[in-house]
């Protein structure tokens, strides 16, 4: 049973969550977990101006995803930073190249799940995840979120990401905040939860 974690990240917040998601999924026996990043679409000079060149080195070793790879997994967990309350353009472009998979029904019945990151606490994490789900539903995927069984999303003693829709982190206006222990725990929970459900569906 294969779980694919597919992400885009500019300053490594989503990458950190992706590693935690993968860690959680690996806890489920018989699960093979692979992490992939979607292709960058911005020119190098724009990435330089945005201060993304150094942070992106942290995950340069992760292979770039080919759309056909999506068909080989039983579950796919997507990670995207928020862009104006929506998924980032790099992820949108990647998904818009999955028309053949849609035509073949290649993703029908697979488990789909989403996690995200935003600069601010109320900057659109929920809208990013929920609007992402629309694409997954068009592909016939079975949506899985982050149930309240992950109690850490009830916390009000500290600022934290994480909602029933999926794991998330709050990066700060300058990207100065990295995922907290609670947010990483949410990501591990989501990874394990998705892998557990996918393994039941594939029996
Ligand atoms: C063009 C653009 C639009 C953004 N829109 C939002 C937004 O709507 N709300 C928000 O809180 N953060 C927004 N951000 C901040 C990113 O979500 C933040 O940099 C990202 O979550 C960090 O994750 P990463 O390091 O994995 O890329 C935006 C950033 C850019 C570059």
């Amino acid at each position: 049973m294969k779980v694919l974690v597919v992400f885009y990240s500019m300053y490594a917040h989503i990458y950190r969550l992706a590693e935690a998601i993968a860690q959680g999924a690996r806890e489920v026996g018989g699960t093979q977990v692979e992490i992939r990043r979607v292709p960058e679409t911005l020119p190098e000079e724009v990435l330089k101006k945005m201060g993304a060149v150094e942070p992106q080195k942290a995950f340069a070793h992760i292979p770039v995803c080919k759309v056909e790879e999506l068909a080989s997994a039983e579950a796919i967990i997507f990670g995207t930073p928020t862009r104006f309350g929506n998924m980032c353009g790099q992820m949108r472009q990647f998904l818009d190249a999955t028309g053949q998979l849609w035509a073949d029904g290649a993703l029908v019945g697979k488990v789909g799940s989403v996690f995200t990151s935003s600069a601010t606490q109320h900057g659109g994490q929920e809208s990013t995840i929920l609007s992402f789900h629309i694409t997954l539903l068009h592909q016939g995927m079975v949506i899985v979120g982050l149930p309240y069984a992950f109690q850490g999303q009830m916390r009000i003693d500290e600022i934290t990401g994480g909602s029933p829709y999926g794991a998330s982190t709050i990066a700060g206006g300058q990207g100065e905040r990295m995922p907290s222990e609670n947010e990483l725990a949410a990501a591990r929970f989501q990874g394990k939860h998705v892998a557990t459900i996918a393994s039941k569906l594939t029996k």
Side-chain angles (χ1 to χ4, degrees):
M1 205 269 297
K2 184 163 143 187
V3 174
L4 201 55
V5 182
V6 180
F7 74 95
Y8 176 81
S9 187
M10 186 165 262
Y11 306 110
H13 299 81
I14 285 290
Y15 169 58
R16 295 267 183 104
L17 289 182
E19 289 286 5
I21 291 258
Q23 196 185 334
R26 282 190 195 105
E27 286 177 30
V28 178
T31 307
Q32 178 199 345
V33 184
E34 286 175 10
I35 307 181
R36 296 283 184 273
R37 58 193 167 99
V38 301
E40 183 55 83
T41 59
L42 292 173
E44 185 78 4
E45 63 185 89
V46 174
L47 291 171
K48 264 187 204 154
K49 277 187 187 163
M50 294 178 86
V53 174
E54 270 308 304
Q56 285 191 335
K57 286 181 183 165
F59 48 89
H61 62 287
I62 303 281
V64 172
C65 196
K66 297 186 182 78
V67 283
E68 313 83 64
E69 284 182 85
L70 301 181
S72 69
E74 277 67 45
I76 311 164
I77 312 178
F78 295 93
T80 174
T82 287
R83 296 280 185 267
F84 308 117
N86 240 296
M87 73 173 78
C88 64
Q90 291 85 347
M91 183 61 78
R92 183 72 265 161
Q93 188 146 331
F94 178 78
L95 293 174
D96 285 357
T98 61
Q100 189 61 52
L101 294 178
W102 171 81
D104 296 342
L107 305 185
V108 173
K110 294 182 187 298
V111 176
S113 195
V114 183
F115 60 100
T116 193
S117 163
S118 67
T120 63
Q121 197 178 353
H122 303 292
Q125 301 195 340
E126 296 183 1
S127 58
T128 298
I129 294 178
L130 290 171
S131 56
F132 201 127
H133 286 170
I134 296 171
T135 300
L136 303 188
L137 288 167
H138 276 254
Q139 289 282 8
M141 299 184 82
V142 180
I143 307 291
V144 170
L146 176 69
Y148 281 105
F150 174 69
Q151 286 274 303
Q153 66 184 290
M154 301 289 285
R155 290 183 73 157
I156 53 170
D157 60 327
E158 65 174 40
I159 291 177
T160 187
S163 73
Y165 314 109
S168 59
T169 186
I170 302 154
Q174 306 304 316
E176 69 277 21
R177 181 181 179 275
M178 274 296 160
S180 66
E181 269 315 306
N182 194 51
E183 291 165 344
L184 292 170
R188 286 192 295 271
F189 192 107
Q190 186 173 349
K192 188 175 180 181
H193 183 54
V194 167
T196 303
I197 290 172
S199 67
K200 285 181 185 166
L201 285 177
T202 46
K203 268 185 187 137

